[in-house]
């Protein structure tokens, strides 16, 4: 079975192989929406409407203007929710291409082809940025560089709009791209190994209480 990966898929597997297998491979269970995820979806949609169509932010989100307005001022081609795909040889492909290996959907990107610089941002609605993970940005940076040969530098930011903080990172084609792909290829190979061996180990943690698996599927529930 050919597997398709993403940042969230890799993180899910690293969090718990058994949950990953039951939810993402067998599709026996579905991670349901929560008040927090519904709120995040609404914020993402409002930001997209502002950036792409200049639709004013709803009153409930207007206090986030200091995050979204600066994004609209970046030079270049601004896109939201662009669907990117990459094959296993790191060449670009369509999001639904049969050979797609990794998929990514940046919340925001601005491509300045003349300067060779792209900016990518992901919107976060969590209450804290304490455990911010910039590896999401590095994967998006690699995928952007795969799709746009003119882009040699990507400046990334995790925008924690509720927590009021910004976590920045920067990646270049020359210095960082080979290492990024090596890292994510290694992560993907761990999932392939579990698939080949049929071993999906559970990793109990404080997050087990949010798991959609019933007790009949996991002794840690």
């Amino acid at each position: 079975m050919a597997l398709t990966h993403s940042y969230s898929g890799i993180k899910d597997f690293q969090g718990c192989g058994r949950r990953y297998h039951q939810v993402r491979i067998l599709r026996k269970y579905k991670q349901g929406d929560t008040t927090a995820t519904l709120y995040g979806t609404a914020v993402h949609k409002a930001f997209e409407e502002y950036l792409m169509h200049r639709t004013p932010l709803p009153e409930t989100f207007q206090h986030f203007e200091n995050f979204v307005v600066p994004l609209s001022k970046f030079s270049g081609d601004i896109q939201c929710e662009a669907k990117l795909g990459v094959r296993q040889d790191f060449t670009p492909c369509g999001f639904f291409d049969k050979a797609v290996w990794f998929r990514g959907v940046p919340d925001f990107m601005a491509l300045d082809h003349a300067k060779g610089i792209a900016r990518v941002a992901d919107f976060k609605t969590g209450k804290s940025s304490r455990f911010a993970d910039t590896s999401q940005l590095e994967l998006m940076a690699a995928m952007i560089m795969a799709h746009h040969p003119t882009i040699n530098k990507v400046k990334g930011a995790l925008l924690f709009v509720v927590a009021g903080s910004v976590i920045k990172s920067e990646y270049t084609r020359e210095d960082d791209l080979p290492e990024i792909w090596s890292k994510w290829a290694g992560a993907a190979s761990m999932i392939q190994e579990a698939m080949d061996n049929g071993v999906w180990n559970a990793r109990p943690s404080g997050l087990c209480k949010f798991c959609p698996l019933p007790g009949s599927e996991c002794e840690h529930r």
Side-chain angles (χ1 to χ4, degrees), residues 7-135:
Y7 167 78
S8 62
I10 295 291
K11 298 303 289 185
D12 278 355
F13 174 78
Q14 292 172 344
C16 181
R18 185 173 299 171
R19 182 183 65 232
Y20 175 93
H21 182 238
Q22 294 285 329
V23 175
R24 290 184 176 261
I25 301 296
L26 300 182
R27 300 185 183 276
K28 290 177 64 176
Y29 306 100
K30 184 177 181 180
Q31 195 76 49
D33 287 323
T34 65
T35 300
T37 59
L38 291 172
Y39 180 79
T41 299
V43 170
H44 279 67
K45 183 61 176 177
F47 282 14
E48 180 181 355
E49 288 297 314
Y50 178 86
L51 290 165
M52 301 307 297
H53 308 294
R54 293 299 184 268
T55 303
L57 293 178
E59 184 176 353
T60 52
F61 299 146
Q62 285 179 1
H63 56 295
F64 296 147
E65 281 188 345
N66 59 316
F67 286 98
V68 70
V69 171
L71 298 180
S72 68
K73 300 183 183 301
F74 285 128
S75 59
D77 176 20
I78 290 179
Q79 300 180 34
C80 291
E81 304 294 324
K83 291 180 170 59
L84 306 177
V86 174
R87 302 183 186 92
Q88 198 163 358
D89 61 359
F90 313 125
T91 57
C93 68
F95 193 79
F96 298 107
D97 193 286
K98 289 183 178 180
V100 65
W101 177 54
F102 261 94
R103 287 178 174 145
V105 184
D107 289 342
F108 165 90
M109 65 180 182
L111 308 169
D112 190 331
H113 296 286
K115 295 181 180 179
I117 297 175
R119 296 179 184 272
V120 63
D122 195 84
F123 311 136
K124 302 294 186 183
T125 52
K127 296 180 179 179
S128 172
S129 60
R130 181 181 177 186
F131 300 107
D133 181 11
T134 57
S135 64

Side-chain angles (χ1 to χ4, degrees), residues 132-208:
D133 181 11
T134 57
S135 64
Q136 179 179 10
L137 295 175
E138 72 180 25
L139 179 58
M140 292 301 100
M143 298 188 79
I144 288 171
M145 285 188 275
H147 275 262
H148 302 282
T150 60
I151 300 298
N152 294 308
K153 178 186 290 187
V154 179
K155 297 183 178 182
L158 298 175
L159 304 182
F160 285 84
V161 299
V162 174
S165 62
V166 178
I167 309 298
K168 297 181 179 180
S169 60
E170 185 174 300
Y171 310 95
T172 66
R173 184 181 297 275
E174 182 178 0
D175 296 333
D176 301 307
L177 191 57
E179 184 177 347
I180 292 172
W181 282 132
S182 177
K183 170 185 172 178
W184 289 94
S189 71
M190 296 295 290
I191 300 179
Q192 188 62 56
E193 182 179 349
M195 174 67 76
D196 294 341
N197 296 331
V199 177
W200 303 93
N201 292 320
R203 297 181 180 88
S205 72
L207 298 177
C208 288

